[in-house]
Amino acid sequence: MAIVDETTYRQPVYDLVSQIPKGKVMTYGSIAIVLGDGYTPRTVGYVMHASPDGVPWQRVINSQGKCSTGRLTMPVNLQQEMLEKEGVEFSKAGKCDLNVCQWWPEGFANDEELQTRLFSE
DNA sequence: AACTTGACGAGGG
DNA sequence: CCCCTCGCCAAGT
């Protein structure tokens, strides 16, 4: 039988991140928007730092289009390098164009009006 | 149970 | 472009 433990909160995050296609990325804030209800960029980040194997954590970056993982166990360059291998282009400043590489699940769009609507519901 | 921390985000200087 | 402040909420101490 399935062991439903305290990972209930984190599972939806890993599930969503696992759906991000190769060569695309999402921001912590976007994930919080999609999951809604109790999720914030802060907590999404907290969940991601403990992501298990199999989750493409490198496809999650901050809203500035930069990698923020340098603070813990790995050099920040590694994440960017992994994304570049997948086809994501970064500027010299280490930023990628979110208008090009950001991905949204079905039912969502990379559209300001939709995001505004989500917030106001 | 209270306090602190943190793969964040927006706004201001 | 860099730095700081505040809001956010789960987890760790």
Side-chain angles (χ1 to χ4, degrees), chain A residues 90-103:
Chain A
F90 283 82
S91 69
K92 293 179 181 177
K95 296 209 285 194
C96 73
D97 187 349
L98 288 176
N99 293 309
V100 174
C101 61
Q102 180 163 204
W103 175 86

Side-chain angles (χ1 to χ4, degrees), chain A residues 40-66:
Chain A
T40 67
R42 201 78 165 178
T43 52
V44 171
Y46 190 83
V47 168
M48 287 308 296
H49 81 86
S51 56
D53 292 339
V55 176
W57 54 268
Q58 72 275 20
R59 295 179 191 151
V60 184
I61 62 181
N62 63 28
S63 68
Q64 312 163 57
K66 298 180 76 174

Side-chain angles (χ1 to χ4, degrees), chain A residues 6 27 39 71 77 79 81 87 89:
Chain A
E6 62 271 28
T27 66
Y39 290 87
R71 316 204 128 192
N77 301 350
Q79 182 177 16
E81 212 174 293
E89 294 184 18

